[in-house]
Amino acid sequence: MPRASPSATARSRWTVPPPPVWRQLLPYLVGAMAGAAMAWVVFISGVLEQGRPEILASLEPVAGDLAFDVRIDPPTHTVAIDYRAGELPDGRVLQLWLIPEGSDPISLGVMSPGGDHIVVLSDEMAARVPGATLAVSDEPEGGSPTGLPTGEVQAAGVPIPL
């Protein structure tokens, strides 16, 4: 039986076995976790949203004590109105109006019984928002029967771009 040469035996005795798979994957795992942590910090901090334009309006009481906050997202033309304070009328509904300067009021819809409302404006309607007034009137069930406010204007305000 032939014997292995002494140099071959020495080499095999001192050869380091490859590391286990988990140790080979560890750097990639740590890198993925660090990347996920950085992405989480960016999204939570709001860094990406700072450049996004927004228009705000505070609709203050005109008659009564109702008040609302309005946010308009220009890229999507989404108008969101949130009830802030005041006594919601019984037996009446609230209706949101856009009143362009020098024009008749345009209905943006009947609000929910809780005083909240979301509407997406058309491009034409969104172009009329700068310089306009937003108002909330109380109307009979189902909204204004004439297409114009028939009830008392409860709150009004002017949208302000940020």
Side-chain angles (χ1 to χ4, degrees):
M1 178 154 147
R3 264 185 99 183
S5 69
S7 62
T9 306
R11 261 185 285 167
S12 65
R13 193 177 341 163
W14 300 108
T15 303
V16 178
V21 173
W22 70 268
R23 288 190 81 188
Q24 293 176 19
L25 295 177
L26 189 63
Y28 299 105
L29 212 64
V30 169
M33 288 173 48
M38 281 194 290
W40 179 77
V41 167
V42 167
F43 284 116
I44 294 302
S45 71
V47 169
L48 299 178
E49 303 226 358
Q50 287 179 355
R52 187 173 185 167
E54 191 174 56
I55 299 172
L56 298 178
S58 181
L59 306 187
E60 298 300 328
V62 173
D65 58 355
L66 287 174
F68 302 89
D69 291 322
V70 179
R71 291 177 322 281
I72 302 173
D73 182 37
T76 63
H77 305 315
T78 301
V79 178
I81 182 166
D82 296 315
Y83 167 76
R84 183 171 17 115
E87 187 77 28
L88 294 171
D90 287 330
R92 306 279 285 174
V93 296
L94 298 175
Q95 192 161 351
L96 180 62
W97 302 90
L98 175 69
I99 309 170
E101 197 171 335
S103 295
D104 288 337
I106 302 164
S107 175
L108 297 182
V110 174
M111 298 165 61
S112 76
D116 299 326
H117 187 60
I118 294 177
V119 63
V120 178
L121 303 177
S122 67
D123 290 341
E124 290 176 29
M125 190 71 69
R128 300 182 85 174
V129 170
T133 299
L134 289 170
V136 173
S137 67
D138 67 274
E139 301 292 337
E141 292 288 333
S144 171
T146 66
L148 294 172
T150 60
E152 228 175 327
V153 173
Q154 296 291 321
V158 177
I160 300 168
L162 293 181

